[in-house]
Amino acid sequence: MRLPRRILTLHTAPGRRASSAPAGVVNFVLACSTTDLHSLELLQDFVTRARRLFVITGAGLSTESGIPDYRSEGVGLYARTDRRPMQHAEFVRSAKSRQRYWARNFVGWPQFSSHQPNSAHKALQRWEERGKLHWLVTQNVDALHSKAGQKGLTELHGCAHRVMCLGCGSISARAELQKRFLALNPDWSAQAGRVAPDGDVFFVMLFNLHFRVPPCEACGGILKPEVTFFGDSVNKATVQFVHDRLAESDAVLVVGSSSQVYSGYRFLLAAGDRKMPVAILNIGPTRADHLAELKVSGRCGEVLSVIQPL
């Protein structure tokens, strides 16, 4: 299964909505140029010839659900603000940093947790039901694949809908922690600004800086979102598990990821070592373009919705 490498761009008919995101949030999606239907046919051929497809998804998938990414030119949070995501070392080292993080997360949680899967998430779940998709690895922590019903799923960087204790390692639901926050901080309020991909939020106004953060109910330890913060590394057992699923597959499709983060890029390097065919669906260049036999630039939702898992 070797295709000549082609860089192609997808287009849609005039007037057609480009994603399933609600009105007002598609500004988080990069603009995309247009080309002919031939790109769809090539991607359809790639998917059809795969029998056990391994899929890697990134932030470009969730932007169409209204969750901004960090790096996209002009629309990512790095471009829109001077804020940067929480670093693992800072969170572990500083009680004040944890207080500020959890205060922002508390304010942003209702908005962040309300986001729903878009047509791309739903299409990939249908591919799994039809037996086309062998395993899906996501770099996103928003739980949208789980909400869509995806079963064969590894959340490579964890999930913001779960909380872990740095002391005893126990895992609990982020929704339950929200109730504890409310009980401890009944008079604390703030107005949320833009919510980041990990549920962090940008304050507009703060009425009380004395936010109280509860400890782990089991051991009294420090609570942290069950996500891989910047500066931390993915669990080695998780990495090996994903490598094992990749070894069982016969083709790789990257969806909505620039592959800038090594934790996901390593699997594309491994696919290259195995001479596995790789296709990329993303708006703009990616770190792995040189590994791809087929590159399609387009919006994830509108492209995947028309590709059939034959």
Side-chain angles (χ1 to χ4, degrees), residues 119 121-132 150 304-305 309:
S119 55
H121 296 97
K122 295 172 184 177
L124 291 170
Q125 192 275 332
R126 289 194 298 271
W127 291 13
E128 181 182 58
E129 283 188 341
R130 294 282 297 274
K132 172 63 64 174
Q150 200 81 38
L304 295 185
S305 293

Side-chain angles (χ1 to χ4, degrees), residues 106-243:
F106 165 73
V107 173
W109 176 252
Q111 181 180 339
F112 179 78
S113 61
S114 69
H115 289 291
Q116 295 300 314
N118 60 54
S119 55
H121 296 97
K122 295 172 184 177
L124 291 170
Q125 192 275 332
R126 289 194 298 271
W127 291 13
E128 181 182 58
E129 283 188 341
R130 294 282 297 274
K132 172 63 64 174
L133 199 160
H134 175 59
W135 202 260
L136 190 149
V137 177
T138 186
Q139 299 171 101
N140 302 331
V141 300
D142 49 38
L144 294 185
H145 283 297
S146 294
K147 288 183 178 181
Q150 200 81 38
K151 297 295 190 298
L153 171 67
T154 296
E155 293 166 319
L156 191 62
H157 297 155
C159 180
H161 287 249
R162 299 188 295 269
V163 177
M164 67 177 296
C165 173
L166 295 180
C168 66
S170 62
I171 303 294
S172 56
R174 174 62 184 82
E176 292 303 311
L177 181 59
Q178 190 75 355
K179 296 176 184 177
R180 298 181 68 194
F181 282 145
L182 287 167
L184 284 173
N185 304 277
D187 300 321
W188 199 95
S189 61
Q191 183 178 348
R194 296 189 181 98
V195 180
D198 65 352
D200 199 355
V201 72
F202 300 89
F203 283 147
V204 175
M205 186 177 296
L206 206 60
F207 294 100
N208 188 339
L209 293 174
H210 304 290
F211 187 76
R212 298 177 63 190
V213 179
C216 171
E217 290 184 301
C219 75
I222 295 171
L223 295 177
K224 173 186 172 293
E226 199 266 298
V227 302
T228 302
F229 281 162
F230 282 69
D232 195 9
S233 57
V234 177
N235 178 275
K236 291 182 179 180
T238 300
V239 172
Q240 185 57 55
F241 178 86
V242 174
H243 274 300

Side-chain angles (χ1 to χ4, degrees), residues 54 134 237 239-249 267 274:
F54 182 95
H134 175 59
V239 172
Q240 185 57 55
F241 178 86
V242 174
H243 274 300
D244 292 343
R245 302 292 77 74
L246 176 66
E248 298 166 350
S249 307
F267 301 116
R274 293 175 176 274

